[in-house]
Amino acid sequence: MNDLRSESGFGLIELLVSMMMLNIGILAIVAAFNSGAIALKNAGEVSTASVLGDKQMELYRALKYTEIALDTTAVATANGDTTYQCDVANKIDPAGACGGANQQAQLLKTCGTMTPQCNPRQTVTGPDQRSYRVDTYVVSQTPPTGRPVKLVTIVVRRSFDLRVLARVSSSFDESSGL
């Protein structure tokens, strides 16, 4: 009966329980650091993509209004890619099918040399040394004011899975041209 009332060995059980609780706490902290690192990586990608989109848009802001267009041959090639063709910037009805009657009429010209302003689809390396795909769409729209404008949309995607990271749009009218 004295052996049943003895408290010997309870210190060992308390130690094991406290070590188990400490391990759970440490694992929770490690998981929080891991998710924080992933969130930081994603934020860095989005930030870099935004910079690349803004950089591409600045190229169009430096052009005369009449020069804002994409290369005819390059757009035909880009439209062969379903990711490029099916982007909402390239569709009249965003919920509709890709291509055909639902495809926006891009503003085209023949470029003597393929500059970034003429190229509708290009792969660039960002300052973070990662690869990004920059898709450009140039379409004509007539807003309620009645004056036609050129709408330039830049979509920056991750190269390996084509997930959209940034989308930049700007409209240009003839009075804003150089």
Side-chain angles (χ1 to χ4, degrees):
M1 199 58 132
N2 283 340
D3 286 339
L4 291 176
R5 291 189 185 129
S6 170
E7 291 188 19
S8 61
F10 276 108
L12 182 60
I13 293 172
E14 289 172 348
L15 179 64
L16 286 172
V17 168
S18 64
M19 285 177 61
M20 180 75 99
M21 291 173 60
L22 184 62
N23 280 339
I24 290 171
I26 289 172
L27 290 175
I29 289 171
V30 168
F33 278 126
N34 190 33
S35 70
I38 291 169
L40 192 58
K41 177 184 172 262
N42 289 339
E45 276 183 333
V46 169
S47 177
T48 299
S50 295
V51 167
L52 292 173
D54 288 340
K55 182 180 173 185
Q56 182 73 10
M57 188 61 76
E58 287 301 318
L59 295 174
Y60 289 98
R61 289 188 180 118
L63 292 176
K64 292 181 180 178
Y65 178 80
T66 55
E67 292 296 312
I68 298 174
L70 298 171
D71 183 68
T72 306
T73 306
V75 168
T77 303
N79 275 327
D81 175 9
T82 55
T83 301
Y84 182 86
Q85 185 184 51
C86 293
D87 192 86
V88 295
N90 203 21
K91 292 164 57 175
I92 296 169
D93 175 12
C98 299
N102 193 33
Q103 187 165 339
Q104 291 271 13
Q106 298 255 18
L107 296 175
L108 305 174
K109 67 179 181 177
T110 301
C111 298
T113 57
M114 189 55 70
T115 61
Q117 300 94 312
C118 281
N119 198 347
R121 189 181 65 192
Q122 53 192 316
T123 301
V124 298
T125 301
D128 58 358
Q129 302 307 312
R130 292 189 183 122
S131 182
Y132 296 88
R133 180 169 139 178
V134 180
D135 292 342
T136 305
Y137 305 89
V138 180
V139 297
S140 180
Q141 292 186 337
T142 305
T145 60
R147 285 184 8 197
V149 297
K150 293 182 179 182
L151 178 65
V152 177
T153 303
I154 315 278
V155 181
V156 183
R157 307 171 196 279
R158 225 187 284 169
S159 280
F160 64 89
D161 66 357
L162 301 179
R163 179 178 154 235
V164 175
L165 297 171
R167 183 179 298 270
V168 181
S169 289
S170 187
S171 59
F172 299 84
D173 67 5
E174 206 161 0
S175 65
S176 67
L178 297 173

